[in-house]
Each structure stands twice: as C-alpha cells, then as structure tokens.
Amino acid sequence: MSTADAASDPLGARLKAYEGRPAAVDGVGKDPVNAPMIRHWCEAMGDTSPAYSGPDAIAPPAMLQAWTMGGLSGHEGRTGAYDELLSLLDASGCTAVVATDCEQEYLRPLRPGDRITFDSVIESVSGRKTTKLGTGYFITTRTDIRVDGDLAGVHRFRILKYAPARREHPAPRPRPVVGRDNAGFWEGVAARRLLIQRCTGCGTLRHPWLPGCNACGCLDWDTVEASGAGTVYSYVVMHHPPFPAFQPPYAVGLIELAEGVRMVSNVVGVPYDKVRIGLPVRLEFQACDEELTVPVFRVVER
C-alpha cells in the first residue's frame, strides 16, 4: 500500500500488515481420511461415482476442506493472527461477514487411512471495497494440505468482512445467477413449472442442473416436471448474518421431492421453530416482485 493509500485508509494499512502471517501451523486433521465420512458426504451430495467406494476408493476431491475442519473445539495449531485481524475489523464497525468464494487445487488423490497435516496463511487483504452489502475488506486465506509431507491440495477461502450499508428502502430480493447450464430451470419457474433434468442415456434425474450426468457422464438430457410433493429431508434456521431482503430467523430446507431428487428452498406455512425433518410439503411459487418468482415449499397440514 502506498503512502497516499495509507493516509486515506489507515485501517487498510494496518490490515495489510497481516498478509503473509500464519493462521495455523502444523495443523493435524482430527480424523484420518475414512470411508464413513466419504459415504456420508456422497449420500448428502447424491454422488454415486464408483471411485469413492470399494477397496481402491479415493475421497471425492471436493471434500478437501472437510479433512481440515476443527469442529467447535477448533485446532491447537491456530496462531491467533486471523482472530486478531477479524477483531480489528469488528472494532472498526465491519461486524458482518459473508463467504464469497473458494478455490481448490488437487495435486494427488486422498485415500482412506491418509493422515492430513496442514498450514494456513493469511494470503491477502484487499483495499477498502464498497459493495451492495456495505463497505469492507476481502480476506483470503490459503491452506496447504499434506500427506506424509507431500503437498496433496491447496484450499483458498475468501470472505468479505464489512459494515452493513444503511438502507432507506427495503432491499430487492437477490437475483439468481442464471447461465447456460441452468437457464431452462429458471424459464420453467417463470412459467410456474418445476423442471428436473433427466439423463437420456441412463434415465437418472438430477438437481441442481448440470451440463452432464453425474452417474454415467452422458451430455444429453431432457426434463420431467415435478409433481410438487416432497418432504423436509433436512433444514437449518438462519439467524445470522442478516442479508438484505431476508428477515431472520427463517427456515431453509433441503427438500426431497417425490421424484427422488433434493433441492434447497424456503419452508413456509409454519413458524421457523416448528419445521421438522419428515414434514410433508407442497411446492408453490412465490412472486418476489414483478420480475422474480421463486419456488418455495409450504408445509402440508396433517
């Protein structure tokens, strides 16, 4: 940061001093790579690849971060630098946080029995940024994950720590990111139809929409319309952080549709603290404004 920048953003200059400081040293995974955790992850994600089971199984690469998680008790290898950084931001009024993205590099497959060690560093702190959420700083940490001293993967995780913007008017509902792979889904929703992709190669239904089948790899597909019946497979109650256009607490459910696929959506029709696993729900479409309609699930009275 230049002298001029430091003069205009003294907090940013203090935060920049944390770049390169270790956040965790000689961290050790609390469990070795293991088949039960792989199985639970695959069931939750609906991933049926044969590569993740059997005597020659590997762990799904996207599980990379799971092997470094410390749980509620944390890890003994933490240095405190990252907590100091967040405390500085809290004291300056940047009390809200939102994860923005992560990047992973996979250098070798992980297999059941592998013992994970890792080191984390505060890789970068951005200058002051103004976003629709508020003004704050992007913080990126990099975690190097090793097995027997050899680098197995790299995980970068980025958050925005910000001071929430003051709003005189209610914020509009955030818009979904629509691309070529999911445009058909949102076109269906606009027509008040919930469309599920179906592989024309093996007939497997899938959600969310993907460019290819995660069961057989076929790139050809058509759609079937969901009946609208489902049950609450799992759920969370959102209390914090608050987001514009959403008033916590509210229930977000993982809904298992009658067709067998699962999707995330809001559970409505009962107070958030009455939502339970196994509750029957029914699809309905909620108009957020003149342009945006979203699918939600209303609890069916028994």
Side-chain angles (χ1 to χ4, degrees):
M1 179 175 285
S2 68
T3 303
D5 290 337
S8 63
D9 184 13
L11 174 61
R14 294 181 66 187
L15 300 177
K16 278 285 185 182
Y18 282 84
E19 288 187 341
R21 291 183 59 178
V25 177
D26 296 329
V28 178
K30 291 199 168 183
D31 298 285
V33 178
N34 62 86
M37 193 178 295
I38 292 171
R39 176 172 55 81
H40 289 313
W41 191 92
C42 288
E43 288 180 356
M45 299 300 293
D47 195 331
T48 58
S49 171
Y52 307 141
S53 61
D56 297 320
I58 63 171
M63 283 187 74
L64 188 65
Q65 186 188 20
W67 310 113
T68 66
M69 290 182 172
L72 295 177
S73 58
H75 279 289
E76 294 181 358
R78 290 185 63 164
T79 65
Y82 192 69
D83 293 334
E84 292 175 15
L85 179 62
L86 297 187
S87 295
L88 275 175
L89 286 159
D90 284 337
S92 73
C94 295
T95 55
V97 63
V98 61
T100 60
D101 59 284
C102 71
E103 302 171 8
Q104 293 184 336
E105 298 177 53
Y106 311 121
L107 303 178
R108 57 148 281 187
L110 299 178
R111 302 182 183 279
D114 284 344
R115 290 277 179 178
I116 298 299
T117 59
F118 60 92
D119 299 287
S120 295
V121 65
I122 301 168
E123 188 170 65
S124 66
V125 182
S126 75
R128 185 171 55 207
K129 303 291 184 182
T130 298
T131 72
K132 289 184 177 181
L133 292 175
T135 298
Y137 301 81
F138 289 94
I139 303 167
T140 304
T141 54
R142 188 192 76 241
T143 300
D144 295 334
I145 298 163
R146 295 180 170 83
V147 177
D148 296 328
D150 296 328
L151 190 63
V154 179
H155 176 81
R156 286 181 172 85
F157 188 69
R158 186 173 295 111
I159 64 169
L160 171 65
K161 195 86 164 72
Y162 64 97
R166 295 179 179 272
R167 299 184 182 275
E168 297 180 2
H169 304 287
R173 177 86 173 234
R175 265 41 190 171
V177 177
V178 179
R180 65 179 183 179
D181 293 331
N182 68 348
F185 172 79
W186 288 106
E187 289 169 2
V189 169
R192 296 182 175 263
R193 302 173 66 212
L194 186 62
L195 300 180
I196 304 170
Q197 272 186 316
R198 178 175 59 190
C199 174
T200 56
C202 67
T204 299
L205 301 180
R206 63 180 185 259
H207 186 87
W209 282 34
L210 296 169
C213 179
N214 55 4
C216 74
C218 178
L219 299 178
D220 297 322
W221 53 271
D222 58 13
T223 62
V224 296
E225 184 173 356
S227 67
T231 57
V232 177
Y233 184 83
S234 184
Y235 71 96
V236 296
V237 175
M238 294 295 296
H239 292 272
H240 188 82
F243 289 100
F246 295 91
Q247 295 298 320
Y250 54 92
V252 179
L254 178 61
I255 307 301
E256 185 163 75
L257 300 179
E259 291 74 17
V261 300
R262 300 171 192 155
M263 66 178 294
V264 176
S265 186
N266 290 95
V267 180
V268 301
V270 297
Y272 69 89
D273 56 353
K274 299 299 182 183
V275 176
R276 294 291 183 270
I277 291 172
L279 277 179
V281 292
R282 188 78 190 175
L283 169 72
E284 60 181 55
F285 293 94
Q286 185 179 86
C288 301
D289 51 44
E290 294 180 355
E291 298 177 348
L292 178 64
T293 297
V294 297
V296 298
F297 289 86
R298 182 172 296 277
V299 172
V300 177
E301 295 185 6
R302 296 181 178 180

